[in-house]
Amino acid sequence: MPSIAFHTLGCKVNFYDTEAIWQLFKQEGYEQVDFESTADVYVINTCTVTNTGDKKSRQMIRRAVRRNPEAIVAVTGCYAQTSPAEILEIPGVDLVIGTQDRDKILTYVQQLQNERQPINAVRNIMKTRQFEELDVPDFADRTRAFLKIQEGCNNFCTFCIIPWSRGLMRSREPQSVLQQARMLVDAGYKEIVLTGIHTGGYGEDIEDYSLARLLWDLDKVDGLKRIRISSIEASQITDEVLEVLNGSDKMCRHLHIPLQAGDDDVLKRMRRKYTTAEFGNKIERIHRIMPGAAITTDVIVGFPGETEEMFRNGYRFMEQMQFSEMHVFPYSKRTGTPAARMEDQIDEELKNARVHELIDLSERMQLAYAKKFVGQVLEIIPEREYKGQPNSGLIMGYSDNYLQTVFQGSEDWVGQVCRVKILEAGVNEVRGELVEAPLSASVQKKAIV
């Protein structure tokens, strides 16, 4: 039985894509082994969002070549898309395939088995207008199923390389999304997370269809309990999307809305498509129709030209927004982007001091948000045994508003809906006690073969 090993760097979309590539090899009778062991084929799914992403990707490629010099080493993902020649210069690399044509990866591997001539299969991503159909029928060890609905981005923010590595916005056919959703529900998943590079842009390239229409169609899928959007821009939360959030009881009370900066001058230099006032207005409307909703966000600290005053403005704005969690990143220069060429880059030490201030703020807001739910009963879908204390009989999972909840329970309940009363709030997790066990505890999520 031929063996294959994967290593994935970067974002959730990359993890989804790796899972899709694995399905292709699985159908051909391959067995998946750990990346640190000897395999016949290694696939490294790379990231290029930062210069460090490139560097880590190169390290992992070299590690695979060292592990088994005889193996076929295939490199895919964003760094492969933007720098194929650079990767092919690494001795031992056999195949470079970017962020498209991955349905052909098996054909290339078979070709390499016959003749070991390195293959560069990367094409110009900017010409691609088709969504690449790769299905993922199940996710090992997961109770939330990810469903990729779009690819690419048209925004060209000044700090970001992603349109060059993922191409322009393209949506998956609605019928294909719905078919995949039904398949996932049949496989026992109660929650689907819609994901993509610019997820909220779904449907912008489809006539008479939109993200809101897709959400209503998913709302009708029998047996589906929760729909979560992995990320959405403030400008994409249209009145129609707000109507779905208001009218569908499957939509999770949790939205991840990237802010990136809380000062209008910085937003303009980032080429973001909103002002803080517009952003604040959307958040206010969401809270009006979905009281208690969790709003999580991404923030970049120390963007070129960010003065102390701009940083303070941003800090006050974030505090005002009452996010339930912020993912804070120090700005890092990405070669090839306009921001990397801007004057007035910020000193690293100052950047780190600001990052720590915002992480402290995020933790305070996380705790304040969690405290609101103490005494309430929430629906939790357990994901796994609680890692903090193995064999303690504790399990953990998420509420619809993304509180990671730890409570006493049976591992048989994984993937089922439990009703849990929240007793104690914490920054990253809350503690609760079971009020009602799953009705269908006997109907287990099908074993993943």
Side-chain angles (χ1 to χ4, degrees):
M1 196 185 220
S3 59
I4 186 165
F6 293 92
H7 186 83
T8 308
L9 297 110
C11 65
K12 282 196 176 112
V13 177
N14 256 9
F15 280 87
Y16 180 94
D17 291 345
T18 297
E19 203 64 45
I21 295 168
W22 159 234
Q23 299 296 330
L24 300 173
F25 281 92
K26 188 160 121 181
Q27 282 156 17
E28 279 298 301
Y30 275 77
E31 164 196 22
Q32 190 177 152
V33 297
D34 188 77
F35 191 77
E36 296 304 325
S37 57
T38 308
D40 300 313
V41 179
Y42 290 93
V43 176
I44 298 97
N45 195 350
T46 60
C47 174
T48 193
V49 77
T50 62
N51 291 350
T52 321
D54 290 3
K55 194 173 138 198
K56 280 188 186 156
S57 298
R58 287 194 297 271
Q59 282 169 346
M60 296 319 294
I61 295 163
R62 291 198 180 95
R63 190 179 291 186
V65 174
R66 277 200 307 272
R67 180 78 54 225
N68 180 8
E70 298 303 302
I72 288 174
V73 174
V75 183
T76 183
C78 288
Y79 176 47
Q81 182 63 48
T82 53
S83 313
E86 208 171 285
I87 292 170
L88 279 167
E89 278 172 9
I90 301 174
V93 171
D94 297 292
L95 169 63
V96 183
I97 193 163
T99 51
Q100 55 185 339
D101 294 337
R102 284 173 295 194
D103 46 352
K104 302 192 180 95
I105 191 164
L106 266 164
T107 316
Y108 288 126
V109 167
Q110 282 152 0
Q111 189 180 326
L112 283 160
Q113 281 159 346
N114 299 330
E115 43 177 298
R116 287 301 276 271
Q117 280 300 316
I119 301 169
N120 178 353
V122 176
R123 287 185 298 118
N124 181 351
I125 192 87
M126 287 304 173
K127 293 187 172 156
T128 301
R129 292 290 176 273
Q130 266 328 90
F131 178 87
E132 181 179 59
E133 290 280 340
L134 289 169
D135 274 352
V136 182
D138 62 42
F139 295 81
D141 314 328
R142 293 243 177 209
T143 56
R144 287 178 289 154
F146 289 82
L147 176 45
K148 184 171 159 185
I149 61 169
Q150 71 75 243
E151 178 63 270
C153 180
N154 297 353
N155 271 11
F156 295 94
C157 299
T158 54
F159 53 81
C160 184
I161 198 82
I162 292 306
W164 304 106
S165 67
R166 288 279 177 176
L168 298 174
M169 168 68 218
R170 45 208 191 277
S171 303
R172 188 171 187 168
E173 287 295 328
Q175 283 318 315
S176 165
V177 177
L178 295 166
Q179 191 183 339
Q180 176 78 21
R182 288 188 202 100
M183 243 166 74
L184 291 165
V185 171
D186 289 345
Y189 292 95
K190 299 271 187 286
E191 179 177 327
I192 287 179
V193 184
L194 302 176
T195 183
I197 294 297
H198 196 55
T199 315
Y202 179 85
E204 283 170 16
D205 53 345
I206 305 179
E207 222 175 306
D208 295 333
Y209 204 71
S210 62
L211 177 65
R213 292 269 306 271
L214 178 71
L215 295 172
W216 279 124
D217 285 345
L218 284 165
D219 178 74
K220 299 184 188 84
V221 172
D222 282 344
L224 179 58
K225 184 84 184 143
R226 289 180 185 172
I227 304 165
R228 202 182 291 276
I229 303 170
S230 67
S231 180
I232 187 168
E233 295 289 339
S235 56
Q236 292 162 339
I237 301 169
T238 58
D239 290 351
E240 290 77 24
V241 169
L242 287 165
E243 274 170 32
V244 189
L245 294 177
N246 190 22
S248 162
D249 56 3
K250 292 185 184 180
M251 293 302 303
C252 287
R253 284 182 301 170
H254 165 229
L255 290 169
H256 183 79
I257 310 171
L259 170 66
Q260 305 305 10
D263 176 272
D264 287 344
D265 288 337
V266 182
L267 286 172
K268 197 177 273 171
R269 288 164 66 97
M270 288 178 162
R271 210 189 285 148
R272 300 290 286 165
K273 294 194 161 55
Y274 49 83
T275 60
T276 50
E278 289 163 348
F279 188 97
N281 176 272
K282 283 287 163 75
I283 302 296
E284 196 183 322
R285 291 182 66 187
I286 292 163
H287 283 311
R288 253 204 319 267
I289 62 169
M290 253 188 173
I295 309 287
T296 54
T297 196
D298 297 326
V299 180
I300 293 173
V301 183
F303 189 76
E306 181 186 72
T307 62
E308 185 62 27
E309 187 190 358
M310 290 170 188
F311 174 70
R312 291 291 144 218
N313 283 343
Y315 187 98
R316 281 192 296 273
F317 181 73
M318 291 166 212
E319 214 168 14
Q320 205 183 316
M321 287 300 100
Q322 290 294 300
F323 292 114
S324 63
E325 188 182 356
M326 302 196 296
H327 300 164
V328 183
F329 304 94
Y331 168 73
S332 81
K333 264 185 175 178
R334 185 65 195 85
T335 316
T337 60
R341 298 189 291 275
M342 287 177 181
E343 305 289 297
D344 42 3
Q345 297 285 332
I346 307 292
D347 170 75
E348 290 302 316
E349 274 185 33
L350 179 58
K351 221 184 272 183
N352 286 334
R354 288 177 182 175
V355 164
H356 285 296
E357 266 197 73
L358 287 185
I359 289 174
D360 288 346
L361 172 64
S362 173
E363 291 191 348
R364 283 204 302 280
M365 294 195 293
Q366 262 176 284
L367 189 59
Y369 178 76
K371 278 183 172 165
K372 293 181 190 166
F373 295 90
V374 171
Q376 289 195 28
V377 174
L378 301 178
E379 289 192 339
I380 311 294
I381 300 180
E383 293 211 333
R384 53 182 163 82
E385 182 187 53
Y386 178 52
K387 291 276 193 283
Q389 290 159 276
N391 309 322
S392 57
L394 293 172
I395 52 178
M396 56 128 305
Y398 287 94
S399 62
D400 75 310
N401 60 332
Y402 215 56
L403 289 175
Q404 181 163 268
T405 308
V406 180
F407 62 101
Q408 197 81 30
S410 155
E411 264 195 271
D412 293 350
W413 301 344
V414 166
Q416 304 296 323
V417 181
C418 300
R419 288 171 58 76
V420 176
K421 184 178 185 178
I422 307 304
L423 301 178
E424 189 190 331
V427 173
N428 290 313
E429 56 188 44
V430 300
R431 295 291 177 128
E433 70 177 0
L434 184 76
V435 174
E436 192 183 318
L439 294 171
S440 55
S442 57
V443 187
Q444 277 318 299
K445 182 165 162 291
K446 290 177 191 153
I448 289 167
V449 196

